[in-house]
Amino acid sequence: MASKNKRKRRPSVHVEAPTEEQLSRGEYRRANHGHYRKIPVIDTMLARDQITPQEHVALGYYRDMASLADKSPLKSCIDFSVKGGDIGPSAAITSAILETARIERDLQSLRHIARAVAVDDKSITQWCIDQYGGRERYDGKGNFIALVPIGESKHVANATMELRMAARRIVR
């Protein structure tokens, strides 16, 4: 006879991998419980030596402040992040809003590329396609490979330099 205290087996959870479209727009890694988490573009750029560790820290700080500032003071019951009080946003959110505004004021014209890459997780290539347009690239057999920016090498190099300059303008 079976024991009454025997644990019931939990059903296994099937987790879908990122779609082809998601994979084309960023890199993912497997996280806890089989979930996938998008790797921030600035982490990928640091791993590829496109930005220095100091630039990564500055862009990460901006990312953290902007992400907190962009949160609504009206929170869902399942959101466990910093919440606002009954009379408005919490001090942490208000501070992040002010700090993000100061950083973006200091960035001046570099604000757009810094926000796109550090906060919105667009790659330099995606940002260049949005700014300058893109074209399809094919291999020698006529098979589609990727969408690349028009004037690819010049625009990507300039955008990378602008992002690095933006990171140097971010001070804590």
Side-chain angles (χ1 to χ4, degrees), residues 38-67:
K38 186 173 184 183
I39 299 172
V41 170
I42 59 175
D43 291 357
T44 303
M45 292 182 76
L46 177 65
R48 293 179 181 167
D49 291 329
Q50 293 173 318
I51 58 175
T52 66
Q54 295 82 8
E55 292 163 347
H56 180 264
V57 168
L59 291 167
Y61 175 70
Y62 172 49
R63 176 190 178 91
D64 293 342
M65 289 295 110
S67 295

Side-chain angles (χ1 to χ4, degrees), residues 9 29 48 67 121 172:
R9 186 175 270 194
R29 70 171 178 246
R48 293 179 181 167
S67 295
D121 268 336
R172 293 177 107 168

Side-chain angles (χ1 to χ4, degrees), residues 62-145:
Y62 172 49
R63 176 190 178 91
D64 293 342
M65 289 295 110
S67 295
L68 183 56
D70 289 346
K71 292 188 187 263
S72 169
L74 302 173
K75 299 291 186 171
S76 165
C77 62
I78 61 171
D79 182 5
F80 296 109
S81 63
V82 180
K83 296 185 179 343
D86 293 336
I87 56 173
S90 69
I93 293 174
T94 303
S95 176
I97 291 169
L98 294 172
E99 182 66 0
T100 301
R102 182 196 62 79
I103 290 169
E104 290 181 345
R105 188 175 54 251
D106 291 347
L107 289 173
Q108 298 174 352
S109 64
L110 300 175
R111 175 175 56 91
H112 300 292
I113 190 168
R115 179 167 272 280
V117 175
V119 180
D120 300 336
D121 268 336
K122 283 190 177 185
S123 69
I124 295 285
T125 302
Q126 290 168 342
W127 187 82
C128 288
I129 290 170
D130 291 348
Q131 295 297 307
Y132 308 111
R135 64 179 178 80
E136 295 177 347
R137 178 180 285 164
Y138 294 91
D139 64 7
K141 300 174 186 172
N143 298 321
F144 175 78
I145 296 176

